[in-house]
Amino acid sequence: MMNAPIDPIKTKLLDAILPHVAFDGWAPTAFNAAVAEVGIDPAHAKTLCPRGAVDLAIAYHERGDAEMVAALGKADLADMRFRDKVAHALRLRINAIDDKEAVRRGTALFALPHMAGDGAKLIWGTADAIWEALGDTSRDINWYTKRATLSGVYTSVVLYWLGDDSLDAQATDDFIDRRIENVMQFEKVKAQVNANPLLKPFTGPLAKMMGGIKAPPKVPDVDLPGAWRDPS
């Protein structure tokens, strides 16, 4: 799910707010300071960011996703196993973060009950961006399960990374490998269950029911809530 390019003035606001986020969080105080530093009309700033600092926190996350996708596009993945491609994408996403405190404050912001929906949408967007960049072609229930699983992995990686003080975040690198291995083990068990003839009376009807679930349609050039944008 790719987002439209960020407005240049909004980019300036985003860059201006980051030094203040470490002290004030993604809060109105930080937003007002950024507006003053950029020197734009506060009314215009509110037009660009109706929710103030929250919209800039969202833009910061989405900018990281875009940088990750760009880095994946330049990477040589030809000789990698698919699990290693996913792990590499996760590392690139972490490397795209240039302000750890901004992420820490963002994590606290999107953990608030009234912000949880926005936070979940951002994490899902990251997982979707990774799968799309890696060429995922699934259009059935797997479209959802892949993104749900990777959303959980990415969330755990970020939380681990926030507390990681190892040299060059080596501990986070190792954690990513362990989490991917956990997912591979789960997929192996799932395949074994589906292939077990003794369980067919249970798995068969479930598979038939799930077969009717389809991925959301690609809707290019339509800016509607919930619309899936075709990255091509």
Side-chain angles (χ1 to χ4, degrees):
M1 181 172 56
M2 301 301 291
N3 298 286
I6 186 172
D7 182 280
I9 298 179
K10 191 172 181 179
T11 296
K12 291 181 179 180
L13 285 172
L14 177 54
D15 292 334
I17 199 176
L18 288 175
H20 300 281
V21 169
F23 301 98
D24 301 317
W26 295 98
T29 302
F31 181 74
N32 292 336
V35 171
E37 288 182 18
V38 173
I40 67 170
D41 184 345
H44 182 44
K46 273 296 184 180
T47 299
L48 293 172
C49 304
R51 294 191 292 174
V54 171
D55 288 328
L56 292 181
I58 291 172
Y60 182 70
H61 183 97
E62 292 177 343
R63 184 163 74 178
D65 284 350
E67 291 177 3
M68 172 202 64
V69 170
L72 268 177
K74 298 175 183 177
D76 183 5
L77 308 177
D79 295 329
M80 288 187 184
R81 297 177 299 175
F82 198 82
R83 61 192 292 173
D84 296 329
K85 293 179 182 179
V86 175
H88 185 61
L90 290 171
R91 292 187 177 96
L92 289 177
R93 183 61 183 85
I94 293 296
N95 290 341
I97 299 171
D98 56 6
D99 191 325
K100 196 168 191 174
E101 191 58 30
V103 174
R104 194 186 310 278
R105 294 286 193 149
T107 300
L109 171 67
F110 293 114
L112 296 174
H114 68 288
M115 296 300 302
D118 291 278
K121 183 178 179 180
L122 289 175
I123 296 299
W124 184 275
T126 299
D128 183 50
I130 290 174
W131 280 116
E132 289 298 317
L134 294 179
D136 177 44
T137 59
S138 60
R139 303 302 301 158
D140 54 9
I141 185 63
N142 289 308
W143 189 92
Y144 295 93
T145 58
K146 286 178 178 180
R147 284 152 182 78
T149 301
L150 191 54
S151 292
V153 170
Y154 178 69
T155 299
S156 66
V157 167
V158 170
L159 293 176
Y160 187 93
W161 171 77
L162 286 173
D164 182 10
D165 57 2
S166 63
L167 182 63
D168 296 327
Q170 182 58 51
T172 298
D173 272 356
D174 296 339
F175 181 77
I176 289 174
D177 289 334
R178 292 197 301 273
R179 291 295 287 115
I180 296 297
E181 178 61 27
N182 292 153
V183 172
M184 292 300 103
Q185 290 174 349
F186 173 76
E187 290 298 321
K188 182 178 179 180
V189 171
K190 186 172 70 173
Q192 290 173 341
V193 169
N194 290 334
N196 190 328
L198 297 178
L199 297 178
K200 284 296 182 182
F202 306 100
T203 59
L206 180 61
K208 185 176 181 179
M209 180 179 66
M210 293 298 182
I213 299 177
K214 303 299 180 182
K218 296 183 179 182
V219 187
D221 302 322
V222 176
D223 190 13
L224 296 174
W228 190 95
R229 280 191 171 277
D230 186 349
S232 62

